[in-house]
Amino acid sequence: MSRGDRAAQIAATGATVDVGDATTRYLLYGLLPSWFVPGLADWAMHRRTRIEDTAGTKESLIHSLMMAEVGLPIALTLRYEVNPLLLTVQCAGAAVHEATALWDVRTAVHSEREVKPVEQHIHSFLESLPFGALASLMCLHADQVKSLLRGGRGDPDAWRLVPRRKPLSPGYLAAIAAAIGTCVLLPYGEELLRCRRAARARKKKRAGGDAAHRHATKGH
């Protein structure tokens, strides 16, 4: 069936297809919630490979940095209109997140922690999701992409944060905040705390060993 025939069939039946609404629903209720799944899986892999005894606090801090690089653009997008300023923040966040992801993997493989194929596959989801979300937003707001390419000329709101004309429901925002707390802040906070405790234990053990060595040396 040709495109014209499909259009005629839709017109005849009275059905309408709003691609913009469908894409928005996909972003809000599909892509964003699904992001938490590989994030939790990645945390489980870190725990399974005992990150606190291998790559340690450094890698855990890199994980926190990556979450901030993605979290800030998401938070702004949920509260403000997409415009050249927000698109710039989103593009910068995606680019910096990718660079940090490379740093993260390099840190892990140069430590004693084994990055297994399953974890590498999980990383592929975590790296591709920001670009998928950004591409969808650009399709939804092609006019703002054009404005960005023109440097925002002629648009007085191009380079300032503009609250959403149709704010998301408080229930949705509360649910996303709860999911972030449960699936991101809590597990990765636990990971960082575990790494810090292990580092302090190793430092204390080394200090005790040094003290014993000095005592033994004085005895001779």
Side-chain angles (χ1 to χ4, degrees):
M1 182 183 294
S2 69
R3 182 179 301 178
D5 292 336
R6 286 198 299 269
Q9 183 180 22
I10 290 172
T13 58
T16 58
V17 179
D18 192 323
V19 177
D21 284 347
T23 303
T24 299
R25 289 195 297 271
Y26 159 72
L27 287 172
L28 293 176
Y29 301 104
L31 189 146
L32 182 54
S34 68
W35 214 321
F36 300 126
V37 177
L40 275 175
D42 200 35
W43 167 80
M45 293 302 300
H46 302 160
R47 187 178 181 87
R48 183 178 179 181
T49 54
R50 301 191 62 80
I51 185 175
E52 67 272 18
D53 296 325
T54 51
T57 304
K58 179 181 179 181
E59 188 184 357
S60 186
L61 286 172
I62 293 175
H63 297 157
S64 298
L65 177 60
M66 286 193 292
M67 285 181 283
E69 292 165 351
V70 171
L72 177 61
I74 289 176
L76 292 176
T77 304
L78 291 175
R79 298 303 300 271
Y80 298 98
E81 289 289 331
V82 174
N83 63 3
L85 173 59
L86 196 49
L87 284 171
T88 300
V89 173
Q90 292 162 348
C91 290
V96 174
H97 178 267
E98 181 65 19
T100 309
L102 293 174
W103 180 26
D104 171 47
V105 174
R106 187 180 300 111
T107 299
V109 299
H110 287 174
S111 71
E112 297 178 1
R113 191 170 80 82
E114 181 184 4
V115 182
K116 298 182 178 181
V118 173
E119 184 176 344
Q120 295 176 11
H121 193 58
I122 292 170
H123 289 172
S124 70
F125 283 97
L126 291 171
E127 291 176 33
S128 61
L129 285 171
F131 291 101
L134 183 57
S136 297
L137 279 172
M138 286 182 167
C139 291
L140 280 173
H141 301 279
D143 58 329
Q144 297 302 319
V145 175
K146 293 178 182 178
S147 179
L148 175 60
L149 295 176
R150 295 194 302 266
R153 288 193 301 272
D155 183 357
D157 294 330
W159 300 106
R160 70 182 188 90
L161 292 174
V162 180
R164 276 179 170 267
R165 289 186 290 273
K166 294 181 179 179
L168 297 174
S169 70
Y172 176 82
L173 294 176
I176 290 297
I180 291 172
T182 303
C183 302
V184 179
L185 297 181
L186 186 61
Y188 283 93
E190 183 273 339
E191 175 184 286
L192 182 58
L193 180 60
R194 185 161 25 96
C195 289
R196 291 295 299 156
R197 285 175 175 171
R200 285 196 296 268
R202 287 192 296 269
K203 184 177 180 180
K204 185 177 181 180
K205 184 177 180 180
R206 285 195 300 268
D210 292 343
H213 177 72
R214 288 195 298 271
H215 181 74
T217 302
K218 287 180 180 179
H220 288 291

